[in-house]
Amino acid sequence: MTSTEETSVEESDAPRYVRLSIELIAEITDEGALKAAALGQVESDEYLDDEERAQSVEAIELDPSGSLAHFIDPVALLGDVPGVELTQATWESAQVAYDPEEDSYEFEVE
């Protein structure tokens, strides 16, 4: 085996990590329905302890973007992709100034 072949074999055996950055803008058309659904989801989440549940309810009460965050599921994005395992996920939601009539909106890129 040549040095190039050895490197190729070693690299193919090593996990490859890819950072996916996704930015979405969602319009909240019924804040009450979103809030009720988020509160229902938090209430029925068996994995939340009391402190986490209280923090989640506070975020939902404070801002509709806090409600929306409870419906983001990174596992659903990659769960059925063969040969891929989700190793870490983080996301945030925040209100933004957005004008749907403006064609020049640009997503922020780091």
Side-chain angles (χ1 to χ4, degrees):
M1 192 180 273
T2 68
S3 154
T4 305
E5 289 172 335
E6 288 174 17
T7 302
S8 165
V9 170
E10 289 173 17
E11 288 177 359
S12 68
D13 290 340
R16 296 186 183 149
Y17 296 94
V18 176
R19 179 185 305 265
L20 299 173
S21 297
I22 300 170
E23 186 166 341
L24 306 169
I25 295 179
E27 179 183 3
I28 297 174
T29 59
D30 187 338
E31 189 174 331
L34 175 61
K35 183 177 177 179
L39 288 170
Q41 185 171 8
V42 166
E43 199 174 292
S44 66
D45 189 334
E46 62 189 51
Y47 298 107
L48 290 177
D49 63 34
D50 290 341
E51 184 178 336
E52 292 171 320
R53 192 175 318 279
Q55 290 172 349
S56 294
V57 168
E58 183 180 340
I60 291 167
E61 296 290 345
L62 183 66
D63 185 342
S65 64
S67 298
L68 185 57
H70 287 280
F71 295 98
I72 305 304
D73 185 0
V75 175
L77 289 173
L78 296 177
D80 294 331
V81 178
V84 175
E85 181 178 326
L86 180 63
T87 57
Q88 181 180 1
T90 183
W91 64 96
E92 66 181 45
S93 59
Q95 292 185 12
V96 297
Y98 175 75
D99 181 358
E101 302 298 321
E102 178 65 41
D103 291 335
S104 65
Y105 184 83
E106 294 187 24
F107 290 103
E108 294 179 20
V109 179
E110 292 181 8

